[in-house]
Amino acid sequence: MPIDDTLAQFSDWSFRSAFGVFVLASVFLVAQFATRTVAADDRKRELVAAGDSGRPAANVPGRIAANVPGRIEPTPSRPKSEKYGGMGHALVVLGLLLTVASIVLRGLATDRFPLGNMYEFVTMACAAAVVTGLVALRGQRHTQVFVVVPVMILMFLAATVLYADAAPVVPALRSYWLPIHVTIVSVGSGIFLVAGVASLLFLLKMRVAGTGSEVTAGTDSGDTAASGGALARFARRLPAAQTLDRLAYKTTIIGFPLFGAGVILGAIWAEAAWGRFWGWDPKETVSFIAWVVYAAYLHARATSGWRNTRAAWINVAGFVAMLFNLFIINMVVSGLHSYAGLN
């Protein structure tokens, strides 16, 4: 099947543009995170609560004063952190659209499903991670930078180390199982990226708090950190420890069955292609190990005495296993899955 070089070039341009947009978005998101003050956010919540609790609106900016007929209180300008966050969020959405465009154009250029090598797999996983971050962090936009930065690193590696020219897939991948199996695995990997980042931030929050005690609902153990030190100031700008822990748990709950389904469907594909469901190929083995680690995390997260930093470390271990499977197994170890476009 001939390759449409024009569409392939447009796909590469879209990918590079997406990377540039994410870089610019990260600048605004870092500025939002750096200028965000907990006191200002608390004051904003107090004003909202005052407006909803039936109190007189005279002290709420932007409302008609109840005790002075016809007088309207001046509305203060938006804080700088909100302005930076709004611009960063818009750029993240634009970067996502460009990333999706690069995937679609790659598929049109090659007349196949665009998941035939590591470059395309990582691109899909990055898109899934950004979508997950936008949805899961819609109430914590100042933390989107911690999803965008890992995505930028993966995209940089995809464009340099992992890049593969648009070309037909090898015969082993010419199957209807390709869009089913690989799409599910790549989307699950993107979701696990957000879960891993959330657990790392949770561990940092708990570390600064100087406690490993179990996190309970409505409690932010990280806010007990000492006021001094750059790390403590950084940690205080993060969401509550309980919020980060819940985010890691919820995203893992979504990614775990997806990844498990991907492994099972891969076994079915292996039976059709190689005549056996399971052969302990290196990639199969590490995928199974990663799945077991995430199962252990979910079990630990629901077990009294483990629902704290211990469970979070298990989640991080699962994310490390995913990265090991993606890079080391594909790039170093030789096996039946060594057709990722690098050989």
Side-chain angles (χ1 to χ4, degrees):
M1 183 66 64
I3 303 301
D4 191 323
D5 294 330
T6 301
L7 290 178
Q9 186 66 52
F10 284 149
S11 174
D12 292 344
W13 287 346
S14 296
F15 184 91
R16 295 166 188 168
S17 299
F19 179 79
V21 170
F22 283 136
V23 171
L24 186 59
S26 67
V27 173
F28 285 109
L29 292 175
V30 168
Q32 179 196 20
F33 188 83
T35 57
R36 177 181 179 269
T37 58
V38 178
D41 290 345
D42 291 342
R43 175 59 179 163
K44 181 181 177 181
R45 285 192 292 269
E46 290 174 2
L47 292 175
V48 173
D52 293 338
S53 61
R55 296 182 187 177
N59 295 326
V60 180
R63 294 177 177 266
I64 300 177
N67 56 348
V68 183
R71 180 182 175 183
I72 300 178
E73 295 290 337
T75 302
S77 60
R78 293 172 60 195
K80 286 184 179 180
S81 61
E82 290 188 11
K83 294 180 180 179
Y84 293 145
M87 290 184 286
H89 178 77
L91 288 171
V92 170
V93 174
L94 176 60
L96 172 63
L97 294 176
L98 289 170
T99 304
V100 173
S102 72
I103 296 171
V104 173
L105 290 171
R106 173 62 75 109
L108 294 175
T110 56
D111 194 26
R112 60 170 174 79
F113 200 76
L115 279 176
N117 50 62
M118 283 186 66
Y119 167 75
E120 296 167 359
F121 180 93
V122 170
T123 303
M124 180 71 78
C126 287
V130 174
V131 171
T132 304
L134 289 173
V135 175
L137 300 175
R138 61 186 181 277
Q140 303 284 346
R141 284 188 176 181
H142 64 285
T143 57
Q144 285 182 355
V145 64
F146 299 106
V147 174
V148 173
V149 170
V151 165
M152 287 168 44
I153 295 173
L154 288 175
M155 291 183 70
F156 176 79
L157 294 174
T160 54
V161 179
L162 307 178
Y163 180 77
D165 292 326
V169 294
V170 297
L173 296 181
R174 293 172 188 170
S175 169
Y176 61 88
W177 285 107
L178 174 65
I180 301 174
H181 164 64
V182 186
T183 299
I184 293 176
V185 173
S186 62
V187 171
S189 300
I191 296 174
F192 281 146
L193 184 148
V194 178
V197 168
S199 284
L200 286 172
L201 294 177
F202 167 76
L203 289 169
L204 173 62
K205 191 88 170 178
M206 298 297 289
R207 171 73 181 213
V208 173
T211 176
S213 59
E214 195 166 301
V215 178
T216 56
T219 302
D220 181 10
S221 300
D223 288 342
T224 63
S227 59
L231 186 60
R233 291 193 297 270
F234 173 85
R236 282 200 303 274
R237 291 190 173 96
L238 293 174
Q242 183 260 350
T243 301
L244 293 169
D245 182 58
R246 186 171 60 247
L247 172 62
Y249 179 65
K250 288 184 176 181
T251 48
T252 303
I253 282 181
I254 297 174
F256 177 74
L258 277 177
F259 187 74
V263 172
I264 293 173
L265 293 173
I268 297 174
W269 185 8
E271 196 278 333
W274 301 321
R276 54 49 168 193
F277 287 99
W278 197 265
W280 296 105
D281 181 72
K283 195 164 187 70
E284 296 173 351
T285 303
V286 178
S287 296
F288 176 71
I289 292 173
W291 185 84
V292 170
V293 172
Y294 278 112
Y297 162 72
L298 294 177
H299 177 72
R301 181 60 173 69
T303 303
S304 178
W306 283 79
R307 196 182 308 163
N308 47 26
T309 55
R310 295 178 183 177
W313 278 118
I314 296 175
N315 197 25
V316 172
F319 183 56
V320 171
M322 294 290 295
L323 293 177
F324 181 86
N325 198 19
L326 176 62
F327 290 102
I328 304 302
I329 296 299
N330 280 325
M331 300 173 65
V332 178
V333 180
S334 179
L336 292 174
H337 288 80
S338 299
Y339 43 69
L342 300 178
N343 298 338

